[in-house]
């Protein structure tokens, strides 16, 4: 079994971004907006700030209180949309329940939407036009490419249909000529469908739904999930010890898709900066 080392590839990607960013007339800028006290979100944003430093990207963090109103948040997004030195804007999800997530994401200027959450950019992805790619799905595709895994003609099964992971990764696999099945909580015969997968993408976010006996011998398994086990340790959807006995390739948790997601965010910020400086 080969481990798909996302940590190592992410370092390579970030080094490439650093070199390119250093050659731009103006360094790229990324604004990260946090609302409330979600501890995981704070950890992610700290990680993204470190990535910015490593890549020579100007990172600016907004740490807004839990009681921030929709109007205040939209006003900040509007201000960032107009800033010349800011190329990318991310609003960390989940937002507190009283805020309208969709409206906020749609307020981000599409040319600064480095998370690729705006319907305009999601639509471009759907029709295959060049633009931002969503970070986690694009990170998965880069990981496959690094290990010379060509999805063409393969049967890919994606378990999960979120707008952030499941749907877009299915679309990217389809664009690479895989035959794609998307499964979800209402899927009947999940085990049987998974067993047909040459490439299995696990994006459920719950342990126990997927087990090693649902993995085809020699499959490529991408475990996207970030769950916590009984001891509070980060783990994926699958049990990796038993899955490793079946899979030919497996992305670890941590150290697989997570670091790649962050690396693509840096690539997207560089892409936005180049576009906004008329270099593309
Ligand atoms: P989500 O929005 O909660 O989606 C989970 C999906 O799993 C849903 O489509 C759901 O189906 C499906 N599901 C739930 N129970 C199921 C079952 N019993 N059988 C089959 N499908 C089932 O989650 P997400 O945002 O896509 O994230 C998924 C996981 O990836 C989470 O652990 C998250 O933390 C992780 N993640 C990691 C990264 C990274 O950088 N590594 C980035 C993003 C997310 P329904 O649609 O029918 O409800």
């Amino acid at each position: 079994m080969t481990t798909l080392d996302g940590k190592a590839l992410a370092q390579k990607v970030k080094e490439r971004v650093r070199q390119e960013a250093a050659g731009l007339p103006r360094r790229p800028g990324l604004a990260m907006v946090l609302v409330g006290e979600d501890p995981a979100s704070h950890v992610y944003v700290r990680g993204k700030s470190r990535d910015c430093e490593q890549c020579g990207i100007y990172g600016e963090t907004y740490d807004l209180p839990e009681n921030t109103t929709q109007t205040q948040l939209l006003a900040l997004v509007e201000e960032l949309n107009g800033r010349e030195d800011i190329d990318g804007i991310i609003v960390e999800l989940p937002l507190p329940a009283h805020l309208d997530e969709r409206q906020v994401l749609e307020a981000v200027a599409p040319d600064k939407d480095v998370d690729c959450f705006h319907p305009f950019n999601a639509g471009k992805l759907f029709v295959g036009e060049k633009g931002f790619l969503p970070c986690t799905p694009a990170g998965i595709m880069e990981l496959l490419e690094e290990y010379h895994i060509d999805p063409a003609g393969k049967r890919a099964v994606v378990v999960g249909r979120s707008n952030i992971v499941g749907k877009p990764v299915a679309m990217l696999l389809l664009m690479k000529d895989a035959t794609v099945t998307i499964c979800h909580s209402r899927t009947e015969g999940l085990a049987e469908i998974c067993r047909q997968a040459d490439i299995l993408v696990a994006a459920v976010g719950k342990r126990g739904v997927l087990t090693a006996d649902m993995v085809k011998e020699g499959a490529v398994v991408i475990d996207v999930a970030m769950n916590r086990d009984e001891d509070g340790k980060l783990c994926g959807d699958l049990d990796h010890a038993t899955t490793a006995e079946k899979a030919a390739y497996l992305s670890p948790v941590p150290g697989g898709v997570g670091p790649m997601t962050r690396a693509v965010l840096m690539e997207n910020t560089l892409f936005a900066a180049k576009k906004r400086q008329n270099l593309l």
Side-chain angles (χ1 to χ4, degrees):
M1 196 278 300
T2 303
T3 298
L4 298 171
D5 190 346
K7 201 171 164 195
L9 178 56
Q11 286 305 332
K12 279 208 274 185
V13 170
K14 286 192 280 183
E15 178 53 25
R16 252 196 332 256
V17 172
R18 190 191 66 75
Q19 284 177 17
E20 266 204 68
L24 295 185
R26 175 180 61 69
R27 74 172 167 161
L30 175 65
M32 293 160 274
V33 181
L34 262 167
V35 188
E37 302 305 326
D38 185 60
S41 295
H42 279 79
V43 173
Y44 298 150
V45 168
R46 273 199 298 277
K48 289 168 190 176
S49 294
R50 276 199 304 276
D51 292 337
C52 285
E53 274 171 38
Q54 211 182 324
C55 293
I57 288 174
Y58 168 67
E60 193 170 274
T61 304
Y62 290 84
D63 198 345
L64 306 181
E66 183 83 23
N67 62 1
T68 301
T69 65
Q70 184 79 1
T71 311
Q72 287 167 329
L73 184 54
L74 289 173
L76 173 62
V77 170
E78 210 39 61
E79 182 196 320
L80 294 169
N81 281 342
R83 283 260 301 271
E84 204 48 52
D85 58 335
I86 294 296
D87 300 291
I89 302 167
I90 57 171
V91 181
E92 202 62 36
L93 303 181
L95 288 173
H98 67 280
L99 296 173
D100 178 349
E101 215 160 84
R102 262 289 125 214
Q103 192 189 26
V104 173
L105 296 181
E106 290 182 22
V108 173
D111 68 336
K112 297 189 176 187
D113 172 37
V114 285
D115 262 336
C116 194
F117 287 167
H118 194 290
F120 178 79
N121 290 315
K124 276 177 100 161
L125 167 68
F126 192 87
V127 294
E129 254 181 56
K130 194 170 162 51
F132 291 119
L133 292 177
C135 299
T136 301
I140 292 171
M141 300 310 287
E142 287 186 26
L143 203 48
L144 293 177
E145 201 180 329
E146 176 73 6
Y147 286 84
H148 309 291
I149 298 164
D150 181 5
K154 304 255 167 47
R155 186 165 279 256
V157 174
V158 178
V159 190
R161 58 174 164 179
S162 69
N163 289 330
I164 295 173
V165 187
K167 278 190 228 167
V169 79
M171 196 52 61
L172 292 178
L173 285 163
L174 180 66
M175 282 160 67
K176 288 285 177 190
D177 298 321
T179 300
V180 185
T181 304
I182 306 176
C183 300
H184 45 81
S185 66
R186 304 293 298 272
T187 296
E188 290 182 11
L190 181 66
E192 209 36 63
I193 297 168
C194 290
R195 264 183 226 120
Q196 293 171 20
D198 302 308
I199 300 173
L200 179 64
V201 180
V204 178
K206 263 188 246 167
R207 298 216 87 190
V209 172
L210 299 172
T211 48
D213 65 306
M214 297 172 159
V215 175
K216 179 176 165 178
E217 199 75 48
V220 177
V221 179
I222 307 289
D223 197 336
V224 185
M226 292 198 292
N227 304 318
R228 295 273 166 193
D229 68 10
E230 312 73 46
D231 306 323
K233 260 181 64 190
L234 200 60
C235 64
D237 278 341
L238 286 139
D239 172 62
H240 282 224
T242 47
T243 303
E245 290 168 17
K246 304 276 286 292
Y249 295 88
L250 176 60
S251 71
V253 183
V257 176
M260 286 308 298
T261 299
R262 281 167 45 184
V264 174
L265 178 66
M266 297 297 109
E267 287 187 302
N268 280 353
T269 306
L270 175 68
F271 175 78
K274 281 161 79 176
K275 265 206 113 162
R276 295 185 64 254
Q277 294 180 58
N278 296 319
L279 300 169
L280 282 178

